[in-house]
Amino acid sequence: MDAKTRFLNACYRLPVDKTPVWIMRQAGRYMKPYQNMRKRYSFLRLCQSPDLATKITMLPLKRLGVDAAILFSDLLIPFLGMGFEVKYKAKIGPQIKPSVRDEKVMETITTPDPERDFPYLRQSIKQFNKKSKGYYPLIGFAGAPFTMASYLIEGGSSHQFQKTKLMMYQEPHRFKRLLEKVTAVLIDYCQFQVESGLDAIQIFDTWAGCLTPLDFREYALPFARQIINSLKSYQIPTIYFLKGSSGLLKDIFKLGTEVISLDSFQELSEARKLLGPNVAVQGNLDPMALFLPKDKLKQRINSILEQNGNQYGHIFNLGHGVLPTTDEDQVSFLVRTVHEYSNPK
Ligand code: CP3
């Protein structure tokens, strides 16, 4: 069975010869070749050069043996077509300017034209598909509206999301207007990528786990649903990821994605029980488990595989992105172990 069939079958809960595996943030900083490329080019330059982006997208296929590639790009790329400046600062993370907390800025947000503003995404997708000769699936991605709006409001990464929640509670109408604008942009952005030749798409609602279930249902779910629904006619699997999903799984299930990506804070078997048989799951090894000695790491991997048991519809992954300080050899070991030990019926 080739990697593409293995991955897509798992998304659709069909039989596989072994459990497919890929790693969130697999194309990146813990790899020597990436570090070398970064000495010569800025991060954005890598994202916007199809030759380089394709090369990075393919690194984990050759070096780790994963079953799927994720397009090398960034969550914040859509902002570049909306009139914002995005700067990636070492140690601090991304900075987005100007701030949408300024009422005037909110009114001047522009709607990107993907053909004009993100042509490199289409070129990278096409180049990947040519080079992989259809053997490997390509996953594209985008942020979900709440997570993207939180970046615009905070102006960068955040722990508490206080500015976001302040706007949400004190100016709910304005907050919803922002969500509507962002949603419209993301629908175009996702459709453009899918039409360029993706095999699957993952929607990162990473930070919506900071919301109470009530607020999640009002400010995150309906907007994420619009994105998912806008992709239904393309008949490719959609994957939804949220960090801190355990109290929200029943709501997340209603989104109707083929796959739900689980964080590490809940046992996979428990999530399976809650979700029932009609959705595939992805996950959910703690990214820090890659720092365990190999025998202990192997136990953790096997525990997840055993929790899934014989059910179809499991894609092995981490509960969140691989950390930059991870030893690449440990990641290779993870991939080999999943392939050797998994034995779906
Ligand atoms: O998964 C992959 O390998 C594909 C590429 C990918 C990147 N970012 C490359 C990247 C993906 C899928 C992302 C998603 C992303 N980007 C998210 C959601 C993912 C999640 O973890 O839930 C978010 C929140 C971002 C925004 C972002 N981009 C941040 C916060 C940062 C800085 C902090 C960090 O983790 O480095 C980035 C930069 C970034 N995105 C890098 C890479 C390889 C590092 C850039 C560098 O080389 O300096």
Side-chain angles (χ1 to χ4, degrees), residues 130-343:
K130 209 165 160 189
K131 286 207 168 156
S132 72
K133 300 191 177 72
Y135 186 80
Y136 287 103
L138 180 61
I139 305 166
F141 67 93
F146 175 81
T147 292
M148 295 297 275
S150 80
Y151 269 100
L152 289 179
I153 296 166
E154 304 288 333
S157 302
S158 171
H159 293 294
Q160 305 280 340
F161 300 94
Q162 287 184 7
K163 298 182 184 111
T164 306
K165 289 189 172 187
L166 264 183
M167 191 191 286
M168 189 172 92
Y169 287 145
Q170 295 188 338
E171 302 170 277
H173 294 295
R174 196 167 153 217
F175 187 57
K176 279 197 178 157
R177 234 178 37 246
L178 177 62
L179 285 168
E180 281 160 10
K181 281 192 179 194
V182 170
T183 303
V185 169
L186 290 170
I187 288 175
D188 285 351
Y189 184 75
C190 289
Q191 291 186 335
F192 175 70
Q193 286 188 71
V194 175
E195 285 169 12
S196 301
L198 297 180
D199 298 292
I201 186 161
Q202 175 152 327
I203 304 300
F204 283 94
D205 215 349
T206 310
W207 306 130
C210 78
L211 294 173
T212 66
L214 210 64
D215 291 324
F216 176 71
R217 284 178 211 125
E218 183 158 0
Y219 296 103
L221 203 64
F223 300 94
R225 178 175 288 123
Q226 286 181 46
I227 313 261
I228 305 295
N229 287 347
S230 81
L231 299 171
K232 283 261 184 285
S233 64
Y234 294 103
Q235 303 193 328
I236 63 164
T238 50
I239 309 169
Y240 181 82
F241 171 74
L242 179 152
K243 192 177 178 191
S245 57
S246 60
L248 304 170
L249 275 184
K250 290 220 150 144
D251 289 302
I252 291 173
F253 176 71
K254 291 188 205 140
L255 276 173
T257 57
E258 277 70 24
V259 186
I260 295 174
S261 198
L262 302 169
D263 64 32
S264 314
F265 306 113
Q266 180 179 34
E267 306 235 90
L268 189 126
S269 51
E270 287 299 314
R272 277 283 205 199
K273 255 188 246 159
L274 259 159
L275 289 168
N278 296 325
V279 65
V281 293
Q282 176 171 278
N284 68 344
L285 184 76
D286 180 2
M288 280 302 290
L290 288 164
F291 294 80
L292 285 166
K294 285 200 168 59
D295 57 332
K296 295 245 164 50
L297 170 59
K298 195 176 204 168
Q299 284 170 9
R300 299 274 177 124
I301 296 166
N302 286 340
S303 156
I304 290 170
L305 292 167
E306 278 157 22
Q307 286 178 54
N308 184 67
N310 288 329
Q311 296 174 81
Y312 295 134
H314 177 215
I315 299 154
F316 202 98
N317 205 315
L318 303 180
H320 200 185
V322 60
L323 295 159
T325 48
T326 308
D327 179 354
E328 187 184 330
D329 181 54
Q330 293 281 94
V331 189
S332 292
F333 176 79
L334 158 69
V335 174
R336 278 202 310 280
T337 306
V338 172
H339 280 164
E340 273 170 27
Y341 282 73
S342 59
N343 182 26

Side-chain angles (χ1 to χ4, degrees), residues 24-27 29 34 38 43 70-76 88 93-94 141 151 157 204 206-207 241 320:
M24 281 191 262
R25 297 290 194 104
Q26 66 186 13
R29 294 161 297 169
Y34 177 80
R38 276 288 277 117
F43 171 59
I70 179 155
L71 182 68
F72 182 77
S73 179
D74 194 51
L75 208 74
L76 309 182
Y88 293 88
F141 67 93
Y151 269 100
S157 302
F204 283 94
T206 310
W207 306 130
F241 171 74
H320 200 185

